[in-house]
Amino acid sequence: MQDLLDPMRPTAPSTVPPSAAGNTPSRALPLSPAALLLLVLLLALAWFLQLNWRHLIPSDEGRYAEMAREMLVTGDWITPRYNGYKYFEKPPLQTWFNAITFAWFGLGDWQARLYTALCGFAGILLVGYTGARVFNSAAGLMAALVLATSPYWNLMGHFNVLDTGLAFWMALTLCSLLLAQRAHLPAGARRGWMWLCWASMALAVLSKGLVGLILPGAALVIYTVVARDWAVWKRLYLISGALVFAGIVLPWFVLVQRNNPEFFHYFFIVQQFERYLTPAQNRPGPFYYFAGVLLVGFLPWVSIAAQSVRQGWRMPRQQNGFAPVTLLLVWSAFIFLFFSASHSKLISYTLPVAPALALVIGLYLPGVTRTQWRRHLLGYAAFLAIAAVVAYIALIGHGDEKTPNALYREFAVWVEIAIGVGLVLTLLAGWLVRRRALPSGAAPTATSIVVFGIGWFLLGALGGNGHEVFGRHSSGALLAPAVRAELAKLPADTPFYSVDMLDHTLPFYVRHTTIMVQHADELWFGATIEPNKWIPTVDQWRARWHEPGPALALLPPSLYGQLAADGVPMRVIARDTRRVVVAKP
């Protein structure tokens, strides 16, 4: 391996990296082609082989898997449904992809995560390609390494959530724009890249709504003002690009509105604007919420983040006046502030920042000196040693009725193994720096940087997959075989009631939708539009439970105890600490 990983040239870091491909001499790729191909193949194996390790966890993973299953079963590719109810919170792009995956490969955990995993992996390759073409080969390699090894991108790329797909399409929007604005690019190539930019922005809208248009558009406007680069607007192909955008976006919006007159108000007013401007979604967080998210999400590269931003801000413009790094910084800052100001916050919201930050850090990383890199490794070795102790103490004391202490202790083993692997490879990266007799101002070897990155990738993968000790219980998958066996004895239209609770994962594993009782949760809109599909009170459900015919019900343990004490006839099919599934005796 050492023969394949050629060291970076031992020269002092350049303070004026190239501003565009062909404008100035570029740094040579610090790896041989064979080594690069080997790394990509190993990353692909490590990235995709872990998709089936964990069960789906609530709420997002189970929800979007079940929506795709229902789309496939019903054959309705226009109106998204969840648990049988109309569900217009998000556009259907990911649901379409997941439904196609289920049609091709069957239902399962890895199938539900395949689309997001492909988006995450493609994002890494995209960032690497863009960095190499817009800046230089070394910057492209390091940008891809930074993105792949950052826990934020690594973990989100292995969860069935919408934000990973959104982040990829927005990254393609950003990278296509950067590639289109290179100096001396032929008109045909520029037009092709810009059409790809408009198309990917449309797919971002179909992924999660107006943010796919608002965030890139606002970032470009702010960049224009900050950089005083008005000429960029002449190279955007606004008219033909808008036609490409509209041709991709409009068909579904027109069809879903035609089939569902209530769609427009709920999707645009309630979900797009009220969700952002009001605390109605009950997902609060302080203004600095996402500062902690990005700090942890880019943990292996935090020590050089500030220097990367400073160097990026001083980067010269291209010959055509375009400033790619300024756009990357504006993009990152605006998206961070946009979601920080929102009344609804989730960890994954700022994921579109990750590719841009990876490019900025990747541009700086090849110029880090050997002395700086040794300090970086020493600091992280100390951090990981301390983290191992703190994590163990923090985990072994937790536990409650739903999640027993034994599960936390089992998870602690995974966390300690993950940190241990990261620590060992960090120390190995330090040894690789020390064994070469190079001047202190020389760049560290590519081997050392890659080994450090592998350590953090494995740390995130092992720690994330270790969550399965909780996930197999929270998913309800352990109950599914007994419930499916019971349903197999009954007619296909047997009602399955979800009483005073919404379980996001069990319906997918059971392959059966549930009828909401009393607590509609986030399905309140669908229940309002189709009131005959739900039961408003437990008393009404009890009356229906006594009617002839088979039925199943999903209950919280506390409610099951109350109903059993009241003499409601129930036969327990399966139960755990979170739910009880009963049938009529």
Side-chain angles (χ1 to χ4, degrees), residues 57 82 142 275 397 405 428-429 526 567 575:
I57 60 173
Y82 178 38
M142 293 304 160
R275 187 186 190 100
N405 175 257
L428 176 59
R575 69 180 301 166

Side-chain angles (χ1 to χ4, degrees), residues 158-187:
H158 293 92
F159 280 88
N160 182 25
V161 294
L162 297 183
D163 294 287
T164 305
L166 172 68
F168 168 71
W169 296 116
M170 286 186 61
L172 185 56
T173 301
L174 172 64
C175 291
S176 299
L177 179 61
L178 294 174
L179 291 163
Q181 301 308 315
R182 287 172 290 167
H184 309 304
L185 199 65

Side-chain angles (χ1 to χ4, degrees), residues 115 118-131 134 143 147 153 162-180 193 196-205 207 211-213 215-216 219 298 327-328 331-332 335 349-359:
Y115 170 71
L118 288 170
C119 286
F121 188 76
I124 296 168
L125 300 183
L126 173 66
V127 163
Y129 176 82
T130 303
V134 174
L147 189 62
W153 193 262
L162 297 183
D163 294 287
T164 305
L166 172 68
F168 168 71
W169 296 116
M170 286 186 61
L172 185 56
T173 301
L174 172 64
C175 291
S176 299
L177 179 61
L178 294 174
L179 291 163
W193 283 115
L196 179 59
C197 176
W198 285 96
S200 56
M201 189 161 55
L203 293 170
V205 171
S207 294
V211 291
L213 173 64
L215 297 182
F298 277 87
L327 177 59
L328 293 172
W331 175 283
S332 302
I335 294 176
Y349 282 0
T350 50
L351 192 61
V353 167
L357 287 181
L359 282 165

Side-chain angles (χ1 to χ4, degrees), residues 179-521:
L179 291 163
Q181 301 308 315
R182 287 172 290 167
H184 309 304
L185 199 65
R190 190 184 310 280
R191 181 174 58 250
W193 283 115
M194 282 310 308
W195 282 356
L196 179 59
C197 176
W198 285 96
S200 56
M201 189 161 55
L203 293 170
V205 171
L206 286 175
S207 294
K208 210 173 178 186
L210 292 177
V211 291
L213 173 64
I214 292 173
L215 297 182
L220 183 61
V221 170
I222 296 171
Y223 158 79
T224 303
V225 175
V226 171
R228 299 181 182 180
D229 180 10
W230 317 108
V232 68
W233 290 87
K234 300 177 182 179
R235 303 190 296 269
L236 298 182
Y237 291 87
L238 290 171
I239 296 177
S240 60
L243 291 175
V244 171
F245 177 87
I248 295 174
V249 163
L250 289 182
W252 177 74
F253 281 96
V254 171
L255 290 173
V256 72
Q257 176 63 27
R258 186 193 66 180
N259 296 350
N260 306 274
E262 67 277 5
F263 166 79
F264 185 91
H265 178 269
Y266 182 75
F267 179 82
F268 287 104
I269 305 303
V270 176
Q271 285 300 316
Q272 300 291 299
F273 291 103
E274 291 184 6
R275 187 186 190 100
Y276 181 84
L277 297 172
T278 71
Q281 294 297 318
N282 194 28
R283 291 170 176 167
F287 187 83
Y288 55 83
Y289 177 91
F290 291 110
V293 171
L294 293 181
L295 183 67
V296 175
F298 277 87
L299 195 56
W301 311 106
V302 166
S303 72
I304 59 173
Q307 301 96 307
S308 302
V309 171
R310 281 200 301 268
Q311 173 185 275
W313 190 254
R314 296 196 299 264
M315 283 281 292
R317 295 171 182 261
Q318 296 177 166
Q319 293 179 5
N320 60 1
F322 183 68
V325 184
T326 302
L327 177 59
L328 293 172
L329 294 175
V330 168
W331 175 283
S332 302
F334 173 71
I335 294 176
F336 172 80
L337 293 173
F338 177 87
F339 286 113
S340 295
S342 172
H343 284 273
S344 179
K345 294 181 173 69
L346 285 178
I347 288 175
S348 56
Y349 282 0
T350 50
L351 192 61
V353 167
L357 287 181
L359 282 165
V360 174
I361 296 173
L363 181 60
Y364 174 80
L365 191 54
V368 171
T369 67
R370 182 169 176 263
T371 300
Q372 289 174 315
W373 185 246
R374 287 183 60 185
R375 287 201 299 263
H376 174 91
L377 296 176
L378 181 62
Y380 276 96
F383 168 79
L384 290 172
I386 296 171
V389 176
V390 173
Y392 181 78
I393 295 174
L395 288 171
I396 62 170
H398 276 282
D400 54 33
E401 184 177 348
K402 285 186 176 181
T403 311
N405 175 257
L407 297 182
Y408 282 97
R409 289 180 174 272
E410 186 178 352
F411 181 57
V413 174
W414 280 94
V415 171
E416 294 304 307
I417 292 174
I419 294 176
V421 170
L423 177 58
V424 168
L425 290 177
T426 298
L427 295 174
L428 176 59
W431 177 79
L432 290 171
V433 173
R434 293 174 61 90
R435 69 187 290 264
R436 300 282 311 254
L438 297 173
S440 61
T445 63
T447 311
S448 176
I449 297 175
V450 169
V451 167
F452 174 77
I454 291 173
W456 275 90
F457 175 84
L458 293 176
L459 190 158
L462 291 170
N465 287 307
H467 186 271
E468 171 64 4
V469 302
F470 303 117
R472 61 175 177 257
H473 296 284
S474 63
S475 69
L478 300 180
L479 308 183
V483 179
R484 292 180 67 182
E486 183 70 19
L487 286 169
K489 306 173 188 175
L490 305 173
D493 60 351
T494 296
F496 189 1
Y497 300 102
S498 185
V499 186
D500 202 28
M501 68 179 297
L502 171 59
D503 193 298
H504 292 280
T505 47
L506 189 62
F508 175 75
Y509 286 114
V510 172
R511 314 294 192 247
H512 200 296
T513 57
T514 59
I515 300 170
M516 302 304 299
V517 177
Q518 183 162 286
H519 183 56
D521 201 272

